């Protein structure tokens, strides 16, 4: 007689609860990892400040009405991003040049991107521990760090990352259920991302490919046909959105193509892969370089590059041998990355472009989401040989994940150390204080310090544009009775005009050069066409207005005051004389020796 089985007690493990317990632990681990990522990213954001394009966006936001086409439909260096200008405009009106609000929004955007990816990973893999592999890859990979740390770049990158993950998830749900709400949700998220960044046109390309690969891994004999058929409403809605968006984009943005892509493509590919993205796949690059005011770029050690390539090739071989369809998934992910490389090459490879541009990584940030989605598909793909991973395999995966996270955190810390050196922060802080104490006298237009924004950004680098959001400051004018300038530190200081050309004394012993009607003040040599400042020392019979110009260039209307004074006039042009035309009837003006040059601190 067989022995009777002992009755199960409440303390015995319940097999039916094991999957639930594993699922709960997996989701708790996922949310914990996201929380850790957000804490790290919050610390990163707290060390950032407005930089380069941020100043252009903020300056334009202060110079135009919030809902104007001049603001929202501005062609910003080939980008069409009305939603980014709208968000920046709102922030500028609430707290101009206060970093706290953008920092909070960046962290919130990162939270949405991470949660959107977790949603899709859960749909792809279920609540299995394997879900944590692609999640960790995305959460800590330094590939997303440079764009995240730059406000204007984050406004492009984060909505695209959210859309890539969310729409792929909606595609799975729409294919499973056929419910219209997933078409509405996916289309709405796509539209929002498209208004932030034109590269979001790739979302309705990635999502069908993702769904096709997902269905293929689940044994669908015709995955492409099924993906197109089951989500036809979502793809149709996306196509309609693109059809409406494309004409607006083409009418708004001039062609971003540079014509130098073929010449630079080989080197840019090397810098994009070996010196750029590949080291980030194992937590690199560990070290960064920067030439202020340029952005930081990855500078991985040669040894790290070699190890990264070996790890990448090993992962390729192992997954292709172990999982059905892994090769196709790898090909899809690599294709997306190469499309990003081509887009960067044909739109950003100007004559003066350096190859380090590719190492700034911001042009490939969205590839992190695609890589994580691809990793989830590989984990979900059926194994070629049925074998549960043993304890040793699980320990090895955990150890590799820990090494990856530690390596990524080291790269993050080294990035923050080099990126937090921001001359812009000190410049704007000093400008805010010193300009508020000198609001009574207008300033002549000038370019901001080259340590803040290089002349290549002209005219967006003019002080009147960059400092427009400051509530307490003097106005900018074409002339001023007191010459001051903003130095490289952002402080308002007394200034003078260099003696590039001299205005000689006139022939009248008591009055110098008399101007009753149109008069020319000769120079002691010719001036080439440029932006010059003229110092006029005059004696006026009454208050009035005169027009001042060079031989070539537009005239500027200048107020003069009765008595002996000086006035400083900013002119554009060249020639061998300064022309004076009185505009006030009865005004007589005597001019003494003066000079024409550029403004420098005294």
């Amino acid at each position: 007689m067989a022995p009777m089985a002992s009755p199960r007690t409440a303390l015995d493990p319940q097999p039916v609860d094991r999957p639930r317990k594993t699922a709960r632990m997996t989701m708790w681990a996922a949310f914990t990892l996201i929380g850790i990522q957000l804490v790290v990213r919050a610390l990163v954001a707290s060390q950032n400040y407005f930089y380069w394009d941020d100043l252009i966006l903020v300056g334009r936001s202060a110079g135009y009405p919030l809902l104007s086409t001049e603001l929202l439909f501005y062609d910003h260096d080939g980008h069409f991003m009305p939603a980014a200008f709208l968000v920046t405009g709102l922030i500028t009106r609430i707290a101009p040049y206060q970093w706290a609000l953008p920092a909070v929004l960046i962290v919130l955007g990162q939270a949405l991107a991470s949660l959107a990816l977790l949603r899709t990973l859960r749909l792809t893999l279920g609540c299995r521990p394997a879900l944590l592999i692609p999640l960790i890859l995305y959460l800590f990979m330094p590939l997303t760090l440079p764009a995240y740390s730059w406000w204007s770049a984050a406004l492009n990158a984060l909505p695209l990352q959210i859309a890539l993950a969310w729409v792929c998830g909606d595609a799975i749900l729409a294919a499973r259920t056929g419910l219209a709400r997933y078409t509405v949700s996916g289309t709405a998220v796509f539209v929002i991302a498209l208004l932030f960044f034109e590269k979001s046109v790739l979302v309705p390309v990635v999502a069908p490919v993702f769904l096709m690969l997902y269905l293929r891994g689940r044994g669908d004999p015709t995955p492409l046909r099924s993906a197109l058929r089951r989500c036809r409403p979502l793809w149709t809605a996306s196509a309609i959105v693109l059809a409406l968006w494309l004409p607006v984009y083409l009418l708004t943005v001039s062609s971003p193509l540079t014509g130098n892509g073929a010449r630079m493509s080989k080197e840019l590919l090397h810098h994009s892969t070996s010196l750029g993205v590949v080291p980030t796949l194992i937590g690199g690059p560990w070290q960064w370089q920067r030439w202020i005011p340029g952005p930081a770029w990855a500078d991985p050690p040669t040894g790290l590059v070699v190890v990264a390539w070996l790890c990448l090739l090993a992962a390729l071989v192992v997954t292709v041998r172990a999982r059905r369809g892994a090769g196709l998934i790898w090909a899809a992910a690599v294709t997306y990355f190469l499309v990003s490389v081509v887009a960067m090459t044909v739109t950003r490879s100007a004559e003066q472009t350096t190859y380090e541009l590719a190492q700034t990584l911001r042009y490939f940030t969205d590839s992190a989401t695609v890589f994580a989605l691809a990793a989830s598909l590989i984990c979900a793909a059926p194994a070629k040989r049925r074998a549960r991973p043993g304890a040793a395999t699980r320990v090895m995966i955990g150890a590799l994940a820990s090494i990856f996270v530690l390596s990524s955190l080291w790269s993050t810390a080294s990035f923050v150390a080099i990126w937090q050196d921001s001359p812009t922060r000190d410049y704007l802080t000093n400008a805010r204080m010193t300009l508020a104490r000198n609001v009574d006298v207008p300033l002549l237009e000038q370019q901001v310090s080259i340590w803040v924004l290089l002349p290549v950004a002209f005219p967006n680098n003019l002080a009147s544009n960059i400092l427009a959001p400051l509530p307490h400051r003097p106005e900018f004018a074409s002339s001023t009775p007191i010459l001051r300038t903003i130095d490289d530190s952002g402080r308002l200081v007394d200034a003078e005009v260099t003696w590039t050309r001299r205005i000689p004394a006139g022939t009248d012993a008591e009055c110098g050069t008399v101007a009753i009607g149109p008069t020319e003040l000769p120079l002691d040599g010719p001036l080439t066409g440029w932006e010059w400042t003229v110092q006029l020392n005059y004696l006026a019979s009454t208050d009035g207005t005169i027009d001042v110009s060079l031989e070539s260039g537009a005239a500027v209307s200048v107020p003069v005051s009765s008595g002996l004074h000086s006035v400083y006039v900013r002119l554009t042009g060249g020639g061998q004389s300064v022309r004076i035309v009185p505009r006030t009837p009865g005004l007589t003006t005597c001019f003494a020796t003066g000079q024409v040059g550029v403004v420098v601190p005294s």
Side-chain angles (χ1 to χ4, degrees):
M1 183 176 178
M4 183 178 297
S6 61
R8 184 176 296 275
T9 68
L11 296 178
D12 292 329
Q14 303 292 324
V16 73
D17 288 338
R18 273 187 200 163
R20 295 179 183 175
K21 183 178 180 181
T22 301
R24 286 196 300 269
M25 292 179 63
T26 299
M27 295 311 297
W28 273 111
F31 286 119
T32 299
L33 289 168
I34 291 176
I36 294 172
Q37 183 218 28
L38 294 179
V39 169
V40 172
R41 290 299 172 96
L43 292 173
V44 172
S46 69
Q47 301 300 311
N48 298 342
Y49 196 66
F50 298 100
Y51 169 73
W52 200 283
D53 297 73
D54 305 348
L55 306 178
I56 298 174
L57 267 64
V58 173
R60 291 190 65 85
S61 297
Y64 294 97
L66 182 61
L67 300 180
S68 65
T69 56
E70 292 84 359
L71 176 63
L72 301 182
F73 287 73
Y74 176 63
D75 176 5
H76 179 58
D77 199 18
H79 292 304
F80 178 59
M81 47 186 204
F85 277 106
L86 179 63
V87 172
T88 303
L90 290 171
I91 289 175
T92 301
R93 282 156 176 77
I94 296 171
Y97 284 133
Q98 299 294 331
W99 178 246
L101 187 52
V104 170
L105 292 179
I106 288 174
V107 176
L108 289 177
Q110 182 62 74
L112 291 176
S114 300
L115 291 172
L117 179 64
L118 175 61
R119 170 182 181 256
T120 303
L121 297 181
R122 185 182 179 190
L123 292 170
T124 307
L125 289 163
C127 295
R128 294 187 288 150
L131 171 149
L132 301 178
I133 297 174
L135 183 64
I136 290 173
L137 178 68
Y138 171 79
L139 293 180
F140 298 101
M141 192 187 332
L143 177 57
T144 61
L145 191 59
Y148 168 86
S149 304
W150 184 351
W151 167 245
S152 56
L155 285 173
N156 294 157
L158 289 173
L160 175 53
Q161 293 173 50
I162 294 169
L164 285 168
W166 187 270
V167 177
C168 286
D170 275 350
I172 291 178
L173 291 170
R176 286 179 183 174
T177 66
L179 295 177
R181 69 177 184 226
Y182 298 116
T183 297
V184 175
S185 169
T187 304
V189 171
F190 169 52
V191 169
I192 293 172
L194 199 58
L195 293 175
F196 276 98
F197 191 19
E198 68 280 354
K199 193 179 179 181
S200 299
V201 296
L202 295 177
V203 171
V205 177
V206 171
V209 174
F210 174 82
L211 181 59
M212 184 269 291
L213 294 171
Y214 170 76
L215 294 175
R216 187 175 186 271
R218 295 179 68 85
D220 192 312
T222 56
L224 179 58
R225 181 184 302 175
S226 298
L228 296 177
R229 176 176 54 83
R230 295 184 189 180
C231 291
R232 183 178 291 113
L234 178 56
W235 313 142
T236 302
S238 299
I240 293 173
V241 169
L242 285 176
L244 296 174
W245 173 87
L246 186 59
V248 179
Y249 173 79
L250 294 176
L251 291 173
T252 303
V253 177
S254 58
S255 175
L257 303 180
T258 62
N260 297 305
R263 179 177 59 85
M264 304 180 66
S265 58
K266 182 179 178 181
E267 280 298 319
L268 283 175
L269 178 61
H270 168 65
H271 284 257
S272 301
T273 52
S274 295
L275 303 181
V277 171
V278 172
T280 68
L281 298 176
I282 62 170
W286 293 353
Q287 60 190 28
W288 310 77
Q289 296 293 334
R290 187 185 182 195
W291 297 333
I292 295 176
W297 71 85
D299 185 29
T302 303
L304 179 65
V305 175
V306 173
V307 171
W309 272 112
L310 291 176
C311 291
L312 183 62
L313 294 175
L316 173 62
V317 171
V318 169
T319 54
V320 169
R321 293 183 61 181
R323 299 283 177 172
R324 292 190 179 94
L328 190 59
I329 298 170
W330 275 91
V334 171
T335 299
Y336 184 90
F337 167 67
L338 291 178
V339 167
S340 297
V341 175
V342 171
M344 177 199 67
T345 301
V346 300
T347 61
R348 290 294 180 261
S349 53
E351 290 291 341
Q352 304 301 321
T353 298
T354 63
Y355 294 122
E356 285 76 15
L357 173 74
Q359 295 166 242
T360 62
L361 303 182
R362 66 181 184 273
Y363 297 101
F364 320 119
T365 299
D366 42 293
S367 295
T369 303
V370 173
F371 293 160
L373 293 172
S376 73
L377 290 173
I378 292 174
C379 291
K384 292 182 177 179
R385 290 180 297 178
R386 292 187 177 276
R388 291 176 59 87
T393 301
R394 291 194 292 269
V395 170
M396 182 183 69
I397 293 174
L400 291 176
S402 299
I403 293 172
F404 170 77
V405 171
L406 292 174
S407 176
S408 299
L409 292 177
W410 179 268
S411 295
T412 300
S414 62
F415 177 85
V416 171
I418 198 170
W419 184 247
Q420 66 183 354
D421 186 6
S422 173
T424 303
R425 188 194 304 268
D426 294 336
Y427 184 91
L428 290 177
T429 299
N430 292 330
R432 186 190 299 271
M433 291 188 300
T434 57
L435 292 180
R437 295 196 295 262
N438 297 274
V439 299
D440 52 335
V441 178
L443 291 176
L444 295 184
E445 185 64 275
Q446 67 175 93
Q447 298 183 28
V448 298
S449 169
I450 62 171
W451 305 114
V452 174
L453 204 57
L454 289 174
V456 70
F458 183 86
N460 290 312
N461 69 326
L462 294 178
S464 61
N465 295 327
I466 301 300
L467 301 178
L470 299 182
H472 305 293
R473 60 171 178 81
E475 294 298 321
F476 286 88
S478 55
S479 65
T480 181
I482 301 176
L483 188 60
R484 295 176 179 140
T485 190
I486 304 170
D487 65 12
D488 282 348
S489 69
R491 293 182 175 86
L492 187 65
V493 297
D494 293 333
E496 60 187 11
V497 179
T498 60
W499 289 82
T500 303
R501 288 291 180 262
R502 183 170 175 270
I503 301 175
T507 56
D508 190 313
E510 295 184 355
C511 194
T513 302
V514 182
I516 300 175
T519 304
E520 291 199 4
L521 305 179
L523 302 175
D524 63 354
L527 281 174
T528 187
W530 194 248
E531 293 176 344
W532 301 104
T533 297
V534 179
Q535 178 180 339
L536 297 175
N537 303 310
Y538 69 88
L539 175 64
S541 61
T542 185
D543 293 347
T545 303
I546 60 175
D547 284 351
V548 183
S549 65
L550 296 170
E551 285 184 349
S552 64
V556 169
S557 181
V558 178
V560 294
S561 301
S562 175
L564 184 63
H565 301 281
S566 294
V567 66
Y568 303 88
V569 187
R570 180 181 170 88
L571 298 174
T572 300
Q576 300 192 55
S577 65
V578 177
R579 293 176 175 175
I580 306 294
V581 179
R583 292 302 181 187
T584 302
L587 173 63
T588 299
T589 312
C590 301
F591 291 95
T593 300
Q595 65 252 36
V596 182
V598 296
V599 177
V600 295
S602 297

